[in-house]
Amino acid sequence: MMNASTATAEARNGTIDPKEAAHFGRLAAEWWDPRGESAMLHRLNPVRLAYIRNAIDHHWPEAGAARKPLAGRSAIDVGCGAGLLTEPLARLGAKVTGLDAAAENVAAAVVHASAVGLTVDYRCADIETLEGEQFDLVTSMEVIEHVTDPAAFVAALGRVLAPGGLMLLSTPNRTTMSRIMLVEAAERIGQVPRGTHDWHKFLTPEELTDLLSAAGLSVIDTRGIAWDPIKGLHLSDNVALNYLMTVVRT
């Protein structure tokens, strides 16, 4: 068995809204329950992982069909929650750091990773506080819509991206469809906890692309995450609900 995960706390000095951090911290105990308040994340995670694995294989083709294509590489999952994405990155071979602004989430992440024998460097910190560290892979899923200054957040993500590295982001689009399905319907029927989303803080792909460009980063691929009654959540050309981006340094 691998060594247990560790967790450290750093001074808060970032763009994550403290109210948002407190909201997600209250969900920590149920984060790993696929039928709990984070059920939607459990349905979303396999879709994100399929996109991420494809992006990794294209960016580092020498890894090929390797079982652990991130072996020998470092990764950071920004806004990691209790580790739903962080743990799979560790299983893909990466030396992983998980960052979250809610101490409760970090504590739950450490307990779960230790129970399954994974080593992850979990930290209760904001990405803006990191100095002198860079990572081959930077991921941040469903986070930018919860920050107070998206431009500063994107710039901080760019600073920790190593030369030749890969960045993967996802976030809801600001459309009528996302307002109806993610804010009104999903929260009303309990698929997403009440108060999770502020539709006005959602970014369109064009807005996020502009922020990334200002930070010296380029979007090389954008894919939507759509939903229908038969397929459920799935990768799609339709970005109206939610979308993923593959990003590299310009």
Side-chain angles (χ1 to χ4, degrees):
M1 179 178 287
M2 300 173 71
N3 293 331
S5 298
T6 59
T8 58
E10 300 177 14
R12 290 295 312 282
N13 185 28
T15 62
I16 296 293
D17 187 329
K19 293 180 181 178
E20 300 271 12
H23 169 79
F24 287 104
R26 286 192 292 270
L27 304 176
E30 291 193 24
W31 206 283
W32 282 97
D33 182 356
R35 290 178 291 277
E37 290 193 276
S38 297
M40 184 65 75
L41 285 178
H42 285 267
R43 296 189 184 97
L44 185 59
N45 212 39
V47 183
R48 300 190 305 198
L49 284 169
Y51 182 85
I52 289 168
R53 179 60 199 260
N54 186 62
I56 289 169
D57 290 346
H58 278 81
H59 192 71
W60 290 294
E62 67 277 9
R67 181 169 164 267
K68 295 192 174 184
L70 293 177
R73 296 187 171 92
S74 59
I76 186 167
D77 186 20
V78 181
C80 64
L84 281 183
L85 176 64
T86 324
E87 289 191 7
L89 295 179
R91 289 192 175 94
L92 290 175
K95 179 181 179 182
V96 187
T97 297
L99 236 59
D100 202 90
E104 300 92 337
N105 288 342
V106 172
V110 169
V111 169
H112 194 275
S114 297
V116 297
L118 291 173
T119 296
V120 179
D121 177 13
Y122 282 114
R123 308 180 195 177
C124 182
D126 296 88
I127 186 65
E128 294 84 357
T129 65
L130 266 62
E131 295 183 6
E133 292 186 77
Q134 290 191 315
F135 303 85
D136 300 309
L137 176 66
V138 176
T139 63
S140 188
M141 303 283 135
E142 318 301 315
V143 177
I144 195 168
E145 67 271 21
H146 301 291
V147 307
T148 58
D149 188 339
F153 180 74
V154 166
L157 293 177
R159 285 194 296 273
V160 302
L161 182 65
L166 179 67
M167 183 184 297
L168 295 160
L169 307 174
S170 75
T171 191
N173 198 351
R174 194 176 68 255
T175 62
T176 300
M177 180 181 289
S178 71
R179 186 168 197 163
I180 293 171
M181 293 187 67
L182 290 180
V183 181
E184 296 177 7
E187 292 194 14
R188 186 174 294 119
I189 65 176
Q191 290 297 305
V192 176
R194 288 274 188 178
T196 294
H197 294 121
D198 179 349
W199 181 82
H200 297 91
K201 294 173 71 174
F202 290 0
L203 296 172
T204 67
E206 294 77 17
E207 290 168 341
L208 183 50
T209 297
D210 287 345
L211 292 177
L212 291 161
S213 179
L217 302 164
S218 296
V219 177
I220 61 173
D221 185 66
T222 301
R223 284 280 276 164
I225 299 177
W227 181 87
D228 70 43
I230 297 174
K231 293 182 179 179
L233 292 167
H234 62 281
L235 291 173
S236 168
D237 292 331
N238 185 349
V239 301
L241 186 63
N242 196 299
Y243 60 94
L244 294 135
M245 281 183 165
T246 301
V247 180
V248 296
R249 193 175 301 284
T250 301

